[in-house]
Structure formats: C-alpha cells, structure tokens
Amino acid sequence: MTQHASPRPSRTHTVLTSVALAVLALAVAGLVAFLLVYNGKVADGATRLDDGATQLSDGAATLADGTAEAQAGAQRLADGAGDLEGGAGDLVAGGLMGSVGGAQLATGGATALDGATELAAGADELNAGAARLAAVTGDAASGAARLAAGSRDLDDGAA
C-alpha cells in the first residue's frame, strides 16, 4: 500500500477566504460605526423625550390648577344664579305690592278729591251762613238796643 499525500488546498481558496474575511471585517466596522451614531441619536431623542415629559407634567399640573379654579368659579356662578333667582322673586313680589299700593293710592286720591269737594261745598255753605248771620247781627243789635230802651221804659213805668 502506498500512502498518498493529502491534497493541499488551492491558493485560490485561501485568497477568497481572506478577501471575504476583510469584507466581513469592513462590514462589521461599518455596522459598529452606524450603531454608535444611531445610539447618539437615540440618546438625544431620549433626552428630548424626557424634557417633553417634564413639560407635559408641568402642563398637566397647570391644567389641574385651572380646572380647580374653573370648578370654584362654576360654583360661585351657580350660587349667584340662585341669589339672582331669589332676588327676581322678591322683585316680582315687590312689583305686585307696588301695583296694589298704586291702586290703593288711586282710590285714596279719588276719596280725597271727593272729600275736598264736600269740604269746599261746606265752606261755601259756612260763608253763606256767616253772611246771613252778619246781616241778622245788625238787626239783633238793633233789637237788643230797642229791648234795652223798652226795659228802661218798663222799669220807669213800674216805679
């Protein structure tokens, strides 16, 4: 038996393997560079996202404060509407009372006018009576004087 020498790999195969390894190394280096750049962009994005989350949190707190103020304002508005409703009821009642009072005032005014008319008529009668009395007073004075003279005459005649 003869021993055969093992066949040697061809040189072409070794060159191709070396070229493939070099291309693979370049691809890995490019991928590492891309991942480093991408990682920086992701870090920048994460920072901006964190800043945005902080702003969002601040905005949510401001919105919560504004909501509480709006709720308090709505309660004050509801209270004011209740007060306004009560005041409107009072105003209506006062208007009705004013209307009744106006009617009573008109009736009282008419009664006062009637009374004033009667008073004027009574004053006219009083003036007429006073004029008659003045006319009769002269006659009464004259009659009293005659009576006094007659009394003296009677007294003289009786003596």
Side-chain angles (χ1 to χ4, degrees), residues 31-61:
L31 182 61
V32 167
F34 172 75
L35 289 176
L36 287 175
V37 169
Y38 185 72
N39 186 34
K41 288 183 180 183
V42 167
D44 289 343
T47 302
R48 289 194 319 224
L49 185 62
D50 185 48
D51 292 344
T54 301
Q55 290 176 350
L56 182 63
S57 176
D58 292 346

Side-chain angles (χ1 to χ4, degrees), residues 2-157:
T2 44
Q3 288 190 328
H4 296 302
S6 53
R8 269 178 118 186
S10 72
R11 285 193 183 270
T12 324
H13 185 43
T14 306
V15 171
L16 282 177
T17 303
S18 297
V19 169
L21 283 175
V23 168
L24 184 61
L26 282 175
V28 167
L31 182 61
V32 167
F34 172 75
L35 289 176
L36 287 175
V37 169
Y38 185 72
N39 186 34
K41 288 183 180 183
V42 167
D44 289 343
T47 302
R48 289 194 319 224
L49 185 62
D50 185 48
D51 292 344
T54 301
Q55 290 176 350
L56 182 63
S57 176
D58 292 346
T62 302
L63 183 61
D65 292 344
T67 301
E69 289 178 23
Q71 185 178 9
Q75 184 60 47
R76 285 192 306 269
L77 183 61
D79 292 345
D83 292 345
L84 182 62
E85 182 180 7
D90 292 346
L91 183 61
V92 167
L96 291 175
M97 288 174 42
S99 176
V100 169
Q104 289 174 345
L105 182 61
T107 302
T111 303
L113 179 61
D114 291 345
T117 303
E118 288 179 26
L119 181 63
D124 288 343
E125 288 179 25
L126 182 63
N127 284 336
R132 284 193 311 266
L133 182 64
V136 175
T137 302
D139 291 343
S142 169
R146 282 191 315 215
L147 180 63
S151 286
R152 268 187 303 234
D153 288 344
L154 185 61
D155 190 40
D156 287 344

